[in-house]
Amino acid sequence: MKLRSIKDKIYFLGAIDWDRRLFDALIPLPDGTSYNAYLIEGSEKTVLLDTVDPTMTNVLLSQLEDVKNIDYIVCHHVEQDHSGAIPSVLEKYGSAKVVISTRGKDMLIDHLHIPEERIITVEDGEILSLGDKTLKFIYTPWVHWPETMSTYLLEDKIIFTCDFFGSHLATNELYGTDKSRVYEAAKRYYAEIMMPFRTNIQKNLEKIKDLDISIIAPSHGPLYKDPNFIIDAYKDWASDIPKNIVVIPYISMHNSTKIMVEYLVSALTERDIKVERFDLSSVDLGKLAMSLVDAGTVIIGTPTVLVGPHPNVVYAVYLFNALRPKTRYLSVIGSYGWGGRAIEYLKGMLTNVKLELLEPVLVKGLPKKDDLKALDKLADIVAEKHKEFSN
Ligand code: FEO
């Protein structure tokens, strides 16, 4: 891929990682991803915004073959998928300096061993002139790391946001024409890394709300010509009020828990509550994370294994606790063979989230009539609690 022009003297470059299927050895990438970099040629100075994952350094260097000089490399975020090629770019351009937030400087030295004398720090709101083009740096921290900033190009009204507004989506379209596909990929990305920092995301949205923006240019996935499309989506995802949705992550060993889940899904459906149900024996964790963005209630379905919850449930609850969704209510249903302490175990894991625990429904063996009645009661309670939420 060669440099692609976005506007006069502003170029899109970077690498499309079509085949990558896992990020951070954890996050599924069903649609691959991209590492976007941008080149801006001012009348006096040239700047590269972000680089690429170290595995794709050669792609970036080949794009820079005809670029004679780079004065600055703006590092919005130190994580290696954007900063990994900085050492190679610094080597190619011997007088280039890395521009980074004050918090990012030490991180850049720690993670990439960049010599201190090649780093310039900028404050929140600081301006850097490229001659006829002007960059304004806007701190947008905790888009999952603390040092992250964005760059606003004043004359062209483009904001470069790195992970913020990004999506793990490999496409050769500069702007995503399939809006629903972009929406899903961006929501997946928000859910996987930004959801725990929801209040910081709200602050960052507030911070950019008065900017006149014509294009949002993130460092993953396509750019946005219609900034409100993604800004409004973020406002919704990061809002404090969940939706009338129950998410049921479950697993079943001898079918008892599954019978309970199926009964509960029907009971919730009769009460006009949307349900998203995930069998944890074959779940896409990204999809589960996405469903948690809006969930008013989570009901965990688990059998008892060796006195505790099933290990797949432990994994899912660990992620739930780490992702800290805005979910207000949680309950547990399931069965056991002869005894156990699954509820106590799960309660002990929920250290990061503030929510109300609804009375669990645990049964010995196959569920009986009274057990199903208890599920009806649980559905009634959820319906009552959800009256305050929108659909
Ligand atoms: Fe795309 Fe946090 O790196």
Side-chain angles (χ1 to χ4, degrees):
M1 189 178 79
K2 295 190 169 161
L3 302 192
R4 297 172 73 178
S5 177
I6 301 174
K7 278 188 164 187
D8 188 36
K9 305 281 185 192
I10 305 165
Y11 303 95
F12 171 91
L13 57 165
I16 304 171
D17 207 341
W18 298 94
D19 301 324
R20 189 164 179 180
R21 286 293 171 266
L22 203 59
F23 199 85
D24 290 346
L26 172 70
I27 296 168
L29 299 179
D31 299 312
T33 190
S34 68
Y35 319 109
N36 308 342
Y38 300 91
L39 188 79
I40 304 172
E41 293 177 336
S43 55
E44 291 168 23
K45 303 284 185 188
T46 297
V47 63
L48 177 69
L49 303 172
D50 289 326
T51 64
V52 295
D53 190 83
T55 55
M56 297 215 150
T57 299
N58 287 345
V59 175
L60 181 68
L61 291 179
S62 73
Q63 292 165 340
L64 295 174
E65 224 166 68
D66 297 328
V67 176
K68 293 206 166 36
N69 185 48
I70 286 178
D71 298 282
Y72 305 113
I73 305 160
V74 170
C75 177
H76 290 122
H77 170 35
V78 177
E79 196 172 14
Q80 290 87 336
D81 52 323
H82 308 293
S83 67
I86 288 177
S88 301
V89 178
L90 284 177
E91 197 179 321
K92 178 173 164 69
Y93 302 97
S95 58
K97 303 265 190 192
V98 183
V99 176
I100 193 161
S101 65
T102 48
R103 181 113 193 227
K105 181 180 172 182
D106 286 346
M107 295 172 76
L108 198 58
I109 294 169
D110 288 338
H111 286 268
L112 292 164
H113 299 177
I114 306 288
E116 194 171 356
E117 63 274 14
R118 305 239 13 214
I119 300 173
I120 299 171
T121 59
V122 287
E123 299 290 341
D124 188 21
E126 197 167 325
I127 297 283
L128 179 67
S129 174
L130 308 178
D132 58 351
K133 292 190 186 291
T134 315
L135 306 182
K136 181 175 184 180
F137 302 106
I138 302 169
Y139 282 15
T140 44
W142 291 114
V143 185
H144 83 126
W145 280 30
E147 86 302 9
T148 307
M149 65 178 188
S150 300
T151 298
Y152 182 60
L153 177 55
L154 269 69
E155 292 76 7
D156 298 275
K157 303 179 171 47
I158 302 176
I159 187 162
F160 302 90
T161 55
C162 201
D163 279 347
F164 197 24
F165 302 125
S167 59
H168 282 313
L169 180 57
T171 171
N172 62 352
E173 286 184 323
L174 203 51
Y175 303 95
T177 50
D178 183 342
K179 287 276 175 87
S180 62
R181 197 165 173 229
V182 175
Y183 182 93
E184 174 150 339
K187 185 173 186 180
R188 176 183 278 267
Y189 192 49
Y190 167 86
E192 288 164 343
I193 66 164
M194 290 176 224
M195 186 156 54
F197 309 103
R198 205 164 49 79
T199 51
N200 298 88
I201 298 294
Q202 289 172 359
K203 284 180 198 160
N204 288 338
L205 289 171
E206 185 64 24
K207 212 162 173 185
I208 64 163
K209 82 174 187 342
D210 294 327
L211 289 180
D212 184 4
I213 299 171
S214 65
I215 294 172
I216 292 179
S219 292
H220 292 293
L223 289 69
Y224 304 92
K225 264 194 282 202
D226 170 12
N228 285 336
F229 165 73
I230 191 69
I231 289 174
D232 288 347
Y234 262 66
K235 280 184 191 165
D236 180 33
W237 302 334
S239 75
D240 294 326
I241 311 290
K243 293 191 167 58
N244 180 27
I245 297 173
V246 172
V247 171
I248 308 181
Y250 79 98
I251 196 161
S252 194
M253 288 159 62
H254 297 290
N255 221 31
S256 296
T257 301
K258 189 169 181 187
I259 289 170
M260 295 176 75
V261 166
E262 284 178 348
Y263 188 90
L264 183 62
V265 170
S266 292
L268 293 167
T269 306
E270 283 164 16
R271 290 158 179 80
D272 291 325
I273 298 167
K274 185 179 172 186
V275 175
E276 301 209 30
R277 167 184 153 170
F278 296 91
D279 181 346
L280 295 173
S281 61
S282 58
V283 71
D284 170 346
L285 288 172
K287 275 207 157 181
L288 174 58
M290 254 193 289
S291 74
L292 294 176
V293 170
D294 304 312
T297 297
V298 169
I299 298 180
I300 295 157
T302 184
T304 296
V305 183
L306 299 173
V307 309
H310 191 284
N312 290 28
V313 169
V314 172
Y315 186 36
V317 172
Y318 177 87
L319 287 177
F320 175 83
N321 187 56
L323 291 173
R324 289 191 285 162
K326 58 191 165 201
T327 304
R328 300 268 179 90
Y329 308 102
L330 184 136
S331 188
V332 182
I333 63 171
S335 81
Y336 56 92
W338 42 265
R341 296 173 52 79
I343 301 294
E344 291 82 345
Y345 193 100
L346 292 174
K347 268 188 194 169
M349 292 181 68
L350 297 168
T351 51
N352 276 343
V353 283
K354 275 191 201 151
L355 39 70
E356 184 181 334
L357 290 168
L358 306 179
E359 187 65 26
V361 182
L362 283 198
V363 308
K364 189 172 182 183
L366 266 179
K368 298 174 269 303
K369 231 177 176 176
D370 281 351
D371 301 321
L372 300 180
K373 271 191 195 160
L375 292 174
D376 275 320
K377 193 174 161 202
L378 177 59
D380 280 338
I381 293 168
V382 171
E384 187 59 34
K385 300 277 187 193
H386 277 214
K387 277 183 183 164
E388 60 191 298
F389 305 151
S390 61
N391 286 311

